[in-house]
Amino acid sequence: MHRYAAILTIALAFSSQLHAAPCSGRGVELQVLGSGGPELRDGRASNGFVVRVDGKARVLINAGGGVPMRFVKAGARFADLDLVLFTDLRSDYTAGFPALIRASLDSDRTTPLPIYGPQGSGTMSSTITFVRTLFDDKRGAWRNLGALINPLAKDAYKLQPRDIRLRVRGGQPRLVDEKKVNPVFHNGRFTISTAPVMHDGLPALAWRIETRSGALVFGSDTAGVRGQLPRLAKGARILVVSHAVAEDVPVKLKMRYMPPSSIGRIAASAGAGKLVLVDRRSFSLDHEKESLRVIRGFYHGEVEFADDLSCYTTPAK
């Protein structure tokens, strides 16, 4: 009986996410495409977001499993994207990317698509290598899509992957050539800058998107120490971070993920207008009430536990 009750609970949660309130289509809005982690049984898509400007999805941040379906459900159009950002390249942040790219061939996109993410390491590919491993027309996994990166092919728009180079000295991650890399992108709608964060020794980035309504900041999975997230998040109107662990988890997990106390401290020191918590998974979902109490001990702004397709406007300054 308990098993059937659990299945019903998951089904109802999944259904409610599919019918989340839509974005207004006005001003700058953040829409969560995936609020879960790498698990499948919770009915949540993995990590993914779009930043909308006047109703159009302009920036895609991460593309985990399930995100392509949420992208369509959100009414986003691939042709409207100005760029793609990856906080890191683990599978739960990137598994949906090939499906989105294949679907994009049926869109009316004609302009190149910049893709920014971290450089590689001994255990992770770089962003350039990641894209080429997928789509290279000679050795890629889906070489039939090679026209997307072959500069001589005339029948497709072009993917433009770019690495953000990092180095670690004394346990502290830094950008290489920081003055040249930060900010990394600018157009009439926003300016985008980045900073490295620590996550289990993997190359990882946090992103800041400065808009006419203020800044939106996206933290990767990070321990919240020996990284530059607090500086990058200063004055953010919306700060998005992972709530993957409860406060009383073993120390080894706190070296990989921010516990609620660290989340609260960073949000408070940044003066964030709203805190949006994602990466909701089985070993943190049951502790959210307690986590909120811990966060409230440091941070007194708005706190939201996100669902798939949740939409947020930037708070008033």
Side-chain angles (χ1 to χ4, degrees), residues 166-188:
L166 313 173
R167 64 170 175 259
V168 178
R169 289 184 177 175
Q172 178 77 6
R174 297 285 183 185
L175 297 179
V176 175
D177 300 325
E178 182 166 357
K179 289 183 179 179
K180 297 179 181 179
V181 176
N182 193 356
V184 300
F185 185 92
H186 174 77
N187 63 13

Side-chain angles (χ1 to χ4, degrees), residues 79-293:
D80 292 334
L81 289 176
D82 288 332
L83 75 165
V84 175
L85 305 174
F86 286 114
T87 57
D88 67 62
L89 297 175
R90 289 169 300 147
S91 60
D92 48 319
Y93 282 43
T94 60
F97 183 67
L100 273 174
I101 295 304
R102 171 59 188 88
S104 76
L105 295 181
D106 299 323
S107 73
D108 55 357
R109 186 178 190 93
T110 58
T111 57
L113 181 65
I115 303 165
Y116 292 90
Q119 70 176 45
S121 68
T123 55
M124 296 294 293
S125 72
S126 72
T127 302
I128 293 173
T129 300
F130 169 70
V131 173
R132 291 194 172 279
T133 299
L134 293 175
F135 305 123
D136 183 82
D137 60 1
K138 297 294 191 294
R139 293 175 292 276
W142 289 283
R143 58 197 72 175
N144 61 306
L145 302 180
L148 290 163
I149 59 173
N150 184 341
L152 300 179
K154 305 296 184 182
D155 56 344
Y157 75 92
K158 302 305 172 190
L159 301 175
Q160 296 180 333
R162 295 166 182 174
D163 292 345
I164 303 298
R165 298 174 61 205
L166 313 173
R167 64 170 175 259
V168 178
R169 289 184 177 175
Q172 178 77 6
R174 297 285 183 185
L175 297 179
V176 175
D177 300 325
E178 182 166 357
K179 289 183 179 179
K180 297 179 181 179
V181 176
N182 193 356
V184 300
F185 185 92
H186 174 77
N187 63 13
R189 284 182 277 272
F190 36 70
T191 298
I192 295 177
S193 53
T194 188
V197 294
M198 294 294 289
H199 176 66
D200 206 22
L202 301 177
L205 299 167
W207 291 99
R208 181 184 180 98
I209 303 176
E210 199 78 46
T211 77
R212 69 194 188 210
S213 300
L216 297 82
V217 175
F218 299 83
S220 178
D221 276 346
T222 173
V225 296
R226 298 194 307 277
Q228 299 176 42
L229 179 58
R231 176 180 60 82
L232 191 75
K234 209 71 176 176
R237 308 314 301 159
I238 298 178
L239 172 60
V240 183
V241 296
S242 294
H243 175 257
V245 296
E247 186 67 23
D248 58 353
V249 295
V251 172
K252 64 179 181 180
L253 281 178
K254 291 184 179 181
M255 297 306 294
R256 298 177 61 193
Y257 305 103
M258 278 195 291
S261 56
S262 294
I263 293 173
R265 287 189 185 99
I266 288 176
S269 68
K274 179 180 290 186
L275 178 62
V276 175
L277 301 174
V278 296
D279 205 3
R280 302 171 71 187
R281 53 180 82 181
S282 58
F283 52 85
S284 62
L285 277 168
D286 292 340
H287 300 277
E288 288 182 351
K289 185 175 180 180
E290 172 61 18
S291 293
L292 181 60
R293 185 192 67 78

Side-chain angles (χ1 to χ4, degrees), residues 25 27-29 51-58 189-190 211-212:
V28 178
E29 298 176 295
V51 174
R52 293 176 171 273
V53 180
D54 299 328
K56 294 184 177 181
R58 294 298 187 180
R189 284 182 277 272
F190 36 70
T211 77
R212 69 194 188 210

